[in-house]
Amino acid sequence: LEGAETRNAKRLRLKRRMLANVAFIGHLYRIEGMLTAPIMHYCIARLLNQGNIENPDEENTEALAKLLTLIGGKLAREDAA
């Protein structure tokens, strides 16, 4: 049981770190000139598991939701321009 708890704690730390990294990337994009729309499209594609919707990854889906919440408006405006 202790091994399972340790694995769960590690997984939770990794998940928090990944979400923090995604938020950091989102904030860098929101700062003018730090990251470009093509870079963000690449990040989105990676989080979408390269279009493999048969086996969605829960952590990637959560990270994608966080990223789109942060950058969705700006990305949509830039794509429309």
Side-chain angles (χ1 to χ4, degrees), residues 18-36 40 43 63 66-72 74 78:
M18 182 178 82
L19 290 174
N21 287 338
V22 165
F24 179 66
I25 290 168
H27 288 294
L28 286 177
Y29 174 68
R30 291 172 67 181
I31 297 171
E32 200 63 38
M34 292 296 289
L35 294 176
T36 63
M40 299 315 300
C43 292
K66 184 172 193 70
L67 182 62
L68 290 176
T69 299
L70 285 168
I71 69 163
K74 181 179 179 189
E78 285 187 10

Side-chain angles (χ1 to χ4, degrees), residues 6-7 17 19 27 33 45 60 72 77:
T6 302
R7 282 192 300 273
R17 184 179 299 149
L19 290 174
H27 288 294
N60 284 356
R77 285 188 299 278

Side-chain angles (χ1 to χ4, degrees), residues 15-64:
K15 180 179 176 180
R16 274 186 288 189
R17 184 179 299 149
M18 182 178 82
L19 290 174
N21 287 338
V22 165
F24 179 66
I25 290 168
H27 288 294
L28 286 177
Y29 174 68
R30 291 172 67 181
I31 297 171
E32 200 63 38
M34 292 296 289
L35 294 176
T36 63
I39 293 171
M40 299 315 300
H41 284 286
Y42 174 80
C43 292
I44 290 167
R46 294 291 298 195
L47 290 171
L48 284 171
N49 200 19
Q50 299 297 327
N52 182 4
I53 59 172
E54 307 276 322
N55 300 311
D57 181 59
E58 182 179 330
E59 285 82 15
N60 284 356
T61 303
E62 186 175 352
L64 177 62

